[in-house]
Amino acid sequence: MKRIVVVGGSVAAVTTAQSLRVEGYDGQVTALSEESHPPYSRVPLSKGVLAGRDSVESALLPLPSEDIEFRTGLATTADGTDRRYDGLVIATGTGAHRLTGDNDLVVRSLNDASTLAARPAAAHSAIVLGDGFLGMEVAGTCRALRLEATVIDLVPPLLRLLGPWPAELAVAAARDHGIRIRVAPDGLEVLDEHRVRCGESVLTADVIVCAAGDVPNTDWLCCRVAPGAVAAGDVVSSLPHGESARPYRHDPNFRTGQSGLNIKISGELPLTGTPEVPAGWVDGRSALLRWRHDAGTAASVAVTHRLPVIKLKRLGAGVTSAVPARTTRLTQGRDHDLPAFRPLRSARPRPPRRSRGPGRPARQSERVSA
């Protein structure tokens, strides 16, 4: 195999191209991207880039070694040039699911985030259509910019994705940050760029952002299965697997930052039941959590609790003693049975401070200015 082409311009594409070199492949590696930007991460787009705190350049990924060719600003099936390969890696990810067409304001690419970031400066309110990770992140950023923010979806936020217990935790934090939640079980209708019909009500806002899911970027493919073709990243689940393909090992890991919460998840979703709490404080929204599944597997979650992903995976695979549950209040008017926390440090009495001898200088922290 002398030539490998990687199609895509995000984390999966860059990682794949570099991994080929790390594993000893010495043939030609070419990465192709339709976007004009160098490869970048989409993680900060709905947060720092959208809020204007981070520059566009901060999202760019470090380029791999110089012996990997990156070509940007082209579409692989429309630039008039054949791309011959011995091996093909499809790493084009997903695009935004739009409700009304190409004029929808979305946050899927670097250009999308840059375009939308210019809107809040002249806006006072925003409606976000979709209450998944992306929708709640965008709503949290709007509130950080002092915009009135309303999230609308057919079901309560994050319920289908996370499950009842973690969804309640995230929604409570969102409400504490002033985000309004509107559930529209009978559907919604976008009337124009400022109005949305939700049941019998018509809601208005200066900005309407569509975060209603995603679709795989596979419309450029002439066929879905071919010898020498593999996939990487989010697009994998949308492509069929040939008979000679290796078994697909799904390694579910998720991360989201919203309304003051930094949530990292290792394991299958959604999560049901009440979790164990190996460490932290649920009421303070900083804890390590673990759910056990009926199949014998487990999922671990770090909520605003620093822990590397590899250790989070080990937490899900390990065995610790369960922590008894207690009742606490997450949202106004509703009680939930939540597990108690296990203190990270034991409360030990502090030893008495030694008296200082004559002539011994005080430490900097103990000096008092006149």
Side-chain angles (χ1 to χ4, degrees):
M1 190 173 291
K2 297 181 179 179
R3 293 168 295 189
I4 294 180
V5 173
V6 181
V7 184
S10 192
V11 174
V14 173
T15 303
T16 299
Q18 188 64 58
S19 296
L20 288 169
R21 293 296 188 228
V22 172
E23 295 296 325
Y25 177 75
D26 59 0
Q28 180 182 353
V29 179
T30 303
L32 309 175
S33 174
E34 184 178 9
E35 296 190 56
S36 58
H37 301 283
Y40 62 90
S41 170
R42 288 180 168 82
V43 173
L45 299 187
S46 59
K47 297 177 279 292
V49 174
L50 179 59
R53 297 191 308 269
D54 300 332
S55 65
V56 169
E57 289 73 18
S58 67
L60 301 183
L61 297 171
L63 289 176
S65 53
E66 295 181 356
D67 57 352
I68 297 175
E69 179 187 13
F70 265 88
R71 303 190 62 180
T72 59
L74 56 86
T76 58
T77 58
D79 69 339
T81 303
D82 290 336
R83 310 293 174 187
R84 298 187 178 276
Y85 61 85
D86 301 312
L88 173 66
V89 180
I90 303 167
T92 44
T94 59
H97 176 218
R98 300 172 184 268
L99 296 179
T100 64
D102 292 339
N103 291 328
D104 283 354
L105 289 176
V106 298
V107 185
R108 184 61 59 171
S109 69
L110 201 51
N111 287 338
D112 293 335
S114 299
T115 299
L116 187 56
R119 296 294 188 94
H124 299 283
S125 59
I127 290 176
V128 181
L129 306 178
D131 60 11
F133 283 159
L134 180 61
M136 298 300 283
E137 289 173 2
V138 171
T141 300
C142 289
R143 284 299 299 144
L145 295 172
R146 300 184 182 279
L147 274 67
E148 296 180 0
T150 302
V151 176
I152 307 176
D153 207 328
L154 307 182
V155 296
L158 300 171
L159 181 61
R160 290 174 296 190
L161 182 60
L162 291 181
W165 198 100
E168 286 281 0
L169 183 69
V171 169
R175 286 184 169 135
D176 286 350
H177 277 70
I179 297 174
R180 299 170 182 171
I181 306 298
R182 189 70 177 260
V183 180
D186 297 327
L188 58 87
E189 180 184 3
V190 181
L191 302 177
D192 53 43
E193 62 178 343
H194 298 295
R195 298 186 301 154
V196 176
R197 184 184 301 280
C198 179
E200 297 182 355
S201 304
V202 175
L203 308 181
T204 62
D206 298 321
V207 177
I208 297 178
V209 183
C210 181
D214 50 33
V215 293
N217 288 326
T218 56
D219 53 352
W220 58 277
L221 288 171
C222 298
C223 62
R224 296 299 181 94
V225 178
V230 297
D234 292 340
V235 75
V236 169
S237 60
S238 66
L239 296 174
H241 293 226
E243 295 180 357
S244 61
R246 295 180 180 179
Y248 172 53
R249 293 181 58 190
H250 183 47
D251 186 15
N253 289 283
F254 311 91
R255 183 169 184 170
T256 180
Q258 51 184 273
S259 301
L261 299 180
N262 184 357
I263 303 174
K264 291 184 290 187
I265 304 170
S266 176
E268 296 288 350
L269 296 176
L271 304 168
T272 59
T274 301
E276 303 166 7
V277 185
W281 184 25
V282 171
D283 286 358
R285 295 173 185 160
S286 176
L288 294 179
L289 312 171
R290 185 173 66 177
W291 277 260
R292 297 182 184 275
H293 301 307
D294 294 337
T297 59
S300 52
V301 179
V303 180
T304 319
H305 194 105
R306 290 187 178 182
L307 192 71
V309 173
I310 186 65
K311 291 186 177 181
L312 193 64
K313 290 182 179 181
R314 291 172 183 169
L315 175 65
V319 177
T320 60
S321 59
V323 179
R326 70 173 180 177
T327 301
T328 189
R329 185 176 295 273
L330 269 182
T331 54
Q332 185 175 2
R334 296 182 63 184
D335 288 333
H336 304 268
D337 288 333
L338 298 181
F341 67 93
R342 178 180 296 170
L344 293 177
R345 297 179 181 177
S346 60
R348 297 178 179 176
R350 180 177 295 180
R353 180 178 296 177
R354 295 179 180 177
S355 60
R356 299 192 177 275
R360 185 178 178 184
R363 295 178 181 176
Q364 183 66 34
S365 59
E366 297 174 352
R367 294 176 184 168
V368 180
S369 59

